[in-house]
Amino acid sequence: MSFLCCFSAHRGASSSRISSWLMQPLVLCVFVMAVARAQVRYSIPEEMTKGSLVGNIVQDLGLDVRRLKSGRARIFTEDSREYIALNVDKGTLVVKERIDREELCAQVSPCSLHFQIILENPMELHRIDVEILDINDHAPVFKKKEITFQMSESALSGARYSIDSANDPDVGLNTLQTYKLIPSDHFIVKIPAHLDDTKYVEIILQKPLDRESMEEHKLILTAFDGGNPQKTGTVKINVIVLDANDNAPAFSQSVYKASIPENFSKGSSVLKVSAADGDTGSNGEVTYSLSQSSESFSGLFNIDSNTGDITVNGYLDYEKSKKYELYVEATDKGGLRDTSKVQIEITDINDNPPIISVISFSSPVPENSAPETAVAMFNVKDLDSGKNGMVKCSIPPNLPFKIKSSTPNFYSLVTDDMLDREMLSKYNITVTATDEGSPSFSTNKTLTLKISDVNDNAPVFERQSYTAFIMENNSPGVSVLSVKAHDRDSGNNARISYFLEDVVVNGVSASTFISVNAESGEILAARSFDYEQTKDFSIRVKAQDGGSPPLSSNVSVKILIQDQNDNAPQVLYPVQSGASVVAEIVPRSADVGYLVTKVVAVDVDSGQNAWLSYKLHKATDRALFEVGAQNGEIRTVRQVTDKDAVKQRLTVVVEDNGQPSRSATVNVNVAVADSFPEVLSEFTDFTHDKEYNDNLTFYLVLALAVVSFLFIVSIIAILSVKCYRWRRERMFYKSGANLPVIPYYPPLYADVGGTGTLQHVYNYEVCRTTDSRKSDVKYGRPCSESIISLDTSGTQTLTHAQRANLNNDFDQVRLSD
């Protein structure tokens, strides 16, 4: 029995989708194939009493009580503590112990319990989720029961005092929602709106206080949650009102004046102010300070808060300000204050160096700028007067620049010579302004002038020519080498592109052999090379910059194809032919070293790949012959004897010296005999030759039979045609005596005027047999006008009598063999 289901249970249970388990007890693994799963979700409030009903799983899971008992239904939870129990007798879930949502989940929401109901025979697992709903079982609580703070009766409306907020562990609407302050005549309560998790509230003064009417305000702050029933928490707040100060301080002078030189040392006293307060005690104690309007001078002057002594706190400058006006405030402990003005005059001394102000500066300037081209314009001034304010400007020597003065205090920096960016691309020009004071002051201003590039340099290759080597049988697209050119210019003028010049290599364009990467100058093979066809070729690569107009240069690149051992040796002699057996004859009287034959081979490769060596691979009698390793000569090693076989077969291997080496083999037939008939009788027994001769005989007989058959068929066809034509000729010959000769009279052939040679012209149609070349034609009589008459129109219709006479005339015409 296995099924999947999802139910909606009572007591607020909500259905949810089927889920699989991530963990199961080890003892249940053997039952995985038979496990059925279902999921039920319930919702119950917290703080339910023990034994309270959670849900009826018999109804919700479609089970019965007997199944629960027979399957020994039980609850499994991953936690050690069980809050829910299973009543097997009734098939219900009940509360096993008190559930406190705040203890279980704190502020996490939603708060749920997860467990499984396990049944055996067959194994079933049912997931149960019980959501614990919050109830309003906690009231807001303040950390302190009573809070006391002081506030002056002179405090303005809007003054704030912060206190810690109340705490409510419930969640949702059951947690803290709002505050209420009683009474609210002078104060209101406010929660800062910019804080999400507010940890404090603010008590804000709404109406000024009066200590004489009420020395202390007693407030009750109440915190409310949103539960039903609503719960609250309170705190007592005591506000003590302090007495105000009645007498303000008064300065002895409304305006104080002093005069100091601009080089007055720091920390020196300028003057001292004083103020008196009619109050006694702390309200009569006066402190001095600079007013807010004089805070900008706090870096130059300082005032002692207790004594009123004003001192220099910074460096004074007559040229910046000849006079300073300060406002000094005297304030007592109650907050009352009085203000007085302090005027400080600064006397001048010679303490200013010249000031260089650049008005315009053109950088970069082109390297082809003409002399007297303006580079910069600047103003030089000295705030001092007299000789101390007179200034001279200069620049270092040996620079292609000079300074010109157009109007007082204005100077121009112009070029004095031709510029060359490739020699120096940047100048640091230091302009020095010196006054005529004693001691004199000077100021330096450094101008960094960049020289812009002009396309006046063509690309230059690193080498005058290049030579590259590439192995034959290369893959198309393989890199051969890279050419590199440099351009002394910069920017686009130095951006080099590489091109292959259109030259002819072996009668075709070089682009069919080579391609060049325009950006990197890498030369790539466009095809696979064959050393035996092309051993080397030359191309030209052009390097062109990006200037306007562009400049270019070219270089010659010679590419040498390196040989690869890709050709095996070829045996020229002895010729290997299957048509007949070629044998070298060695007489039995041959001495040691007798030259039998020489194996001649060639290798189209070159170098060591074409160095050939010969060795004897197989032999009928290895002790009889040897092969020269270098020349391929086959010689006898010993004296030929009568015991040596007539038929000797040698297999010679020709091997080159390449890596890896390649080889070819050749079979050499040697006949050891003194007479040709002996040789012939012996070599007819070669199995290979016999098979070859048998095959050749078969093909010759077959070809002869086919040719004979075609010849006979052709003879029969020719005779048939001849007979057919002969029969037709006989038929025409027999019917030739009865064939009439019908004359034909063209309408325009009549000689009406009588000016022709003949008076009348007649045409005849004669039907003859194929043998008529042997016959004679006889005319009985000449043609006359009595046979036919033509009218002027050249046409005449023959009558029946005329036709009869005409036939009689033609009867005299005889054809004879």
Side-chain angles (χ1 to χ4, degrees):
M1 173 182 179
S2 63
F3 60 91
L4 295 173
C5 58
C6 184
F7 305 98
S8 177
H10 66 285
R11 289 183 175 267
S14 61
S15 61
S16 64
R17 59 185 179 85
I18 301 171
S19 63
S20 60
W21 306 109
L22 297 177
M23 296 184 61
Q24 296 180 7
L26 182 61
V27 296
L28 302 179
C29 292
V30 296
F31 303 104
V32 170
M33 297 302 296
V35 170
R37 297 175 180 173
Q39 180 175 336
V40 178
R41 185 178 184 87
Y42 298 100
S43 298
I44 62 172
E46 64 175 330
E47 304 293 346
M48 291 181 67
T49 59
K50 289 185 180 182
S52 298
L53 179 65
V54 176
N56 192 325
I57 62 171
V58 172
Q59 295 179 0
D60 297 335
L61 294 178
L63 304 175
D64 55 26
V65 177
R66 289 178 298 176
R67 174 71 180 104
L68 294 179
K69 293 180 179 180
S70 63
R72 294 190 297 176
R74 61 190 181 276
I75 289 179
F76 171 78
T77 178
E78 296 179 4
D79 299 329
S80 59
R81 190 173 180 181
E82 293 185 5
Y83 294 93
I84 306 296
L86 173 62
N87 189 332
V88 180
D89 296 330
K90 296 182 180 180
T92 59
L93 296 175
V94 295
V95 177
K96 185 176 182 180
E97 60 179 273
R98 173 182 168 274
I99 303 174
D100 186 356
R101 198 209 69 83
E102 288 74 29
E103 178 185 355
L104 186 65
C105 300
Q107 296 297 314
V108 177
S109 181
C111 179
S112 299
L113 296 174
H114 308 285
F115 56 90
Q116 296 84 26
I117 295 179
I118 303 174
L119 288 86
E120 299 177 359
N121 300 321
M123 177 62 67
E124 295 181 23
L125 297 178
H126 302 284
R127 179 184 174 98
I128 307 297
D129 295 333
V130 179
E131 182 181 0
I132 310 302
L133 302 177
D134 182 51
I135 63 173
N136 192 21
D137 55 345
H138 295 87
V141 178
F142 288 93
K143 291 182 179 181
K144 296 181 179 180
K145 296 298 182 180
E146 188 173 354
I147 300 173
T148 301
F149 63 89
Q150 297 178 345
M151 185 173 288
S152 175
E153 66 175 329
S154 62
L156 301 177
S157 299
R160 301 170 183 266
Y161 188 86
S162 300
I163 62 174
D164 293 335
S165 64
N167 180 43
D168 191 335
D170 292 327
V171 295
L173 292 175
N174 294 328
T175 191
L176 181 64
Q177 298 293 325
T178 186
Y179 293 90
K180 185 177 182 180
L181 185 65
I182 299 175
S184 58
D185 296 337
H186 292 81
F187 298 91
I188 60 174
V189 63
K190 184 178 180 182
I191 302 175
H194 63 282
L195 296 177
D196 297 332
D197 187 12
T198 305
K199 300 299 182 183
Y200 67 93
V201 293
E202 294 178 336
I203 304 299
I204 302 175
L205 179 63
Q206 189 177 17
K207 191 163 49 172
L209 302 176
D210 186 2
R211 184 179 180 278
E212 285 70 27
S213 60
M214 184 178 294
E215 296 182 358
E216 183 178 0
H217 293 265
K218 295 185 179 292
L219 309 175
I220 301 293
L221 179 62
T222 304
F224 296 89
D225 63 17
N228 188 13
Q230 191 176 51
K231 295 191 176 185
T232 62
T234 60
V235 62
K236 294 181 181 180
I237 301 176
N238 299 322
V239 181
I240 298 174
V241 182
L242 301 178
D243 187 22
N245 187 18
D246 296 334
N247 296 296
F251 278 99
S252 60
Q253 299 178 21
S254 59
V255 178
Y256 294 86
K257 295 182 179 181
S259 177
I260 57 175
E262 62 176 329
N263 61 346
F264 205 59
S265 61
K266 186 177 180 180
S268 300
S269 177
V270 178
L271 59 85
K272 185 177 181 180
V273 297
S274 64
D277 193 320
D279 293 327
T280 60
S282 61
N283 291 333
E285 296 179 1
V286 178
T287 58
Y288 300 94
S289 62
L290 296 178
S291 66
Q292 292 184 355
S293 61
S294 301
E295 286 183 354
S296 59
F297 304 126
S298 60
L300 298 176
F301 300 98
N302 188 27
I303 185 169
D304 190 297
S305 61
N306 295 321
T307 63
D309 189 14
I310 298 176
T311 58
V312 175
N313 192 38
Y315 296 99
L316 304 178
D317 190 352
Y318 171 83
E319 288 72 26
K320 290 184 178 179
S321 179
K322 298 178 177 62
K323 184 178 181 181
Y324 295 93
E325 289 186 354
L326 307 179
Y327 290 89
V328 180
E329 293 180 348
T331 308
D332 61 16
K333 297 295 183 180
L336 298 180
R337 66 189 63 189
D338 188 20
T339 304
S340 178
K341 179 188 294 186
V342 178
Q343 294 180 350
I344 303 175
E345 293 184 358
I346 308 300
T347 59
D348 183 39
I349 62 172
N350 185 23
D351 60 346
N352 291 286
I355 300 174
I356 301 175
S357 300
V358 178
I359 299 175
S360 67
F361 179 48
S362 300
S363 179
V365 295
E367 62 178 323
N368 60 348
S369 298
E372 299 292 330
T373 300
V375 175
M377 180 177 289
F378 47 91
N379 169 258
V380 180
K381 64 181 179 180
D382 195 321
L383 299 177
D384 296 325
S385 59
K387 293 184 66 175
N388 294 331
M390 298 178 65
V391 180
K392 292 182 179 180
C393 290
S394 62
I395 60 174
N398 302 324
L399 289 178
F401 304 98
K402 64 181 179 180
I403 290 180
K404 295 177 63 176
S405 177
S406 54
T407 57
N409 299 332
F410 287 89
Y411 300 87
S412 298
L413 178 66
V414 298
T415 59
D416 193 33
D417 201 351
M418 296 298 298
L419 305 177
D420 188 353
R421 191 204 66 83
E422 287 71 35
M423 293 182 61
L424 192 61
S425 61
K426 183 173 66 174
Y427 291 91
N428 292 321
I429 306 172
T430 301
V431 178
T432 302
T434 305
D435 63 20
E436 296 183 4
S438 181
S440 63
F441 288 92
S442 63
T443 301
N444 295 328
K445 184 72 172 181
T446 300
L447 302 177
T448 300
L449 178 64
K450 295 181 179 180
I451 310 301
S452 63
D453 185 52
V454 175
N455 192 27
D456 55 351
N457 292 281
V460 178
F461 283 95
E462 295 178 347
R463 303 179 189 175
Q464 294 183 353
S465 63
Y466 290 84
T467 301
F469 297 89
I470 184 172
M471 191 70 67
E472 67 171 330
N473 301 319
N474 59 287
S475 300
V478 70
S479 176
V480 179
L481 83 158
S482 293
V483 296
K484 192 69 176 178
H486 298 281
D487 195 317
R488 297 180 61 194
D489 296 324
S490 64
N492 284 335
N493 296 331
R495 184 174 56 84
I496 299 176
S497 300
Y498 300 90
F499 303 96
L500 179 64
E501 291 191 351
D502 190 13
V503 296
V504 177
V505 177
N506 294 340
V508 296
S509 175
S511 60
T512 62
F513 289 84
I514 290 296
S515 63
V516 178
N517 188 303
E519 297 294 332
S520 64
E522 185 178 17
I523 298 177
L524 306 174
R527 58 186 291 182
S528 179
F529 298 115
D530 188 356
Y531 174 82
E532 287 69 35
Q533 293 183 1
T534 305
K535 292 180 173 55
D536 61 77
F537 60 91
S538 296
I539 61 172
R540 295 191 68 82
V541 178
K542 180 174 71 173
Q544 179 175 296
D545 61 26
S548 180
L551 301 178
S552 64
S553 62
N554 51 40
V555 68
S556 176
V557 180
K558 185 174 183 179
I559 299 177
L560 302 175
I561 313 300
Q562 291 182 321
D563 183 47
Q564 193 177 43
N565 192 25
D566 57 344
N567 293 283
Q570 297 179 0
V571 178
L572 302 180
Y573 183 83
V575 179
Q576 299 294 295
S577 175
S580 62
V581 178
V582 178
E584 303 292 339
I585 300 176
V586 177
R588 293 187 180 275
S589 59
D591 295 330
V592 177
Y594 177 80
L595 178 61
V596 179
T597 186
K598 182 176 182 179
V599 177
V600 180
V602 295
D603 194 322
V604 295
D605 293 324
S606 64
Q608 65 178 7
N609 295 330
W611 296 350
L612 301 180
S613 61
Y614 305 84
K615 62 182 177 179
L616 185 61
H617 181 59
K618 292 180 182 180
T620 305
D621 187 353
R622 278 186 170 272
L624 183 58
F625 302 99
E626 67 176 359
V627 178
Q630 303 300 326
N631 53 23
E633 293 180 351
I634 301 177
R635 294 179 180 273
T636 58
V637 180
R638 60 175 173 80
Q639 181 70 39
V640 180
T641 64
D642 295 337
K643 295 181 180 181
D644 293 327
V646 176
K647 294 185 297 182
Q648 297 287 337
R649 190 179 183 90
L650 309 179
T651 301
V652 179
V653 176
V654 184
E655 188 176 32
D656 59 24
N657 197 36
Q659 292 294 331
S661 62
R662 294 176 176 268
S663 62
T665 60
V666 60
N667 294 322
V668 180
N669 296 316
V670 179
V672 180
D674 292 327
S675 62
F676 182 74
E678 183 182 0
V679 174
L680 186 60
S681 62
E682 289 292 336
F683 276 84
T684 54
D685 295 334
F686 276 113
T687 304
H688 174 74
D689 297 339
K690 183 177 181 181
E691 292 178 356
Y692 176 80
N693 292 332
D694 293 342
N695 293 334
L696 180 60
T697 302
F698 171 75
Y699 290 123
L700 289 175
V701 172
L702 181 61
L704 182 59
V706 171
V707 171
S708 301
F709 174 75
L710 294 177
F711 177 73
I712 294 172
V713 171
S714 300
I715 294 298
I716 294 173
I718 293 173
L719 292 175
S720 300
V721 173
K722 287 291 185 179
C723 291
Y724 176 74
R725 290 181 177 178
W726 180 77
R727 290 184 62 187
R728 290 188 61 185
E729 291 173 358
R730 293 297 300 171
M731 292 176 63
F732 283 111
Y733 178 75
K734 291 180 179 180
S735 58
N738 298 325
L739 291 177
V741 179
I742 302 173
Y744 173 68
Y745 313 100
L748 299 179
Y749 269 39
D751 189 4
V752 178
T755 59
T757 304
L758 299 177
Q759 294 182 354
H760 298 283
V761 177
Y762 299 96
N763 293 336
Y764 296 91
E765 288 184 357
V766 180
C767 296
R768 306 178 64 187
T769 65
T770 57
D771 294 334
S772 59
R773 66 182 182 273
K774 301 178 182 180
S775 305
D776 295 329
V777 180
K778 296 180 180 181
Y779 298 94
R781 57 185 174 87
C783 300
S784 64
E785 291 182 357
S786 62
I787 296 176
I788 187 172
S789 298
L790 296 177
D791 57 8
T792 57
S793 64
T795 61
Q796 179 70 33
T797 302
L798 296 177
T799 62
H800 179 70
Q802 290 175 334
R803 290 178 184 173
N805 294 331
L806 184 60
N807 289 336
N808 292 330
D809 293 336
F810 276 95
D811 287 342
Q812 298 177 9
V813 178
R814 296 290 183 266
L815 298 175
S816 60
D817 294 333

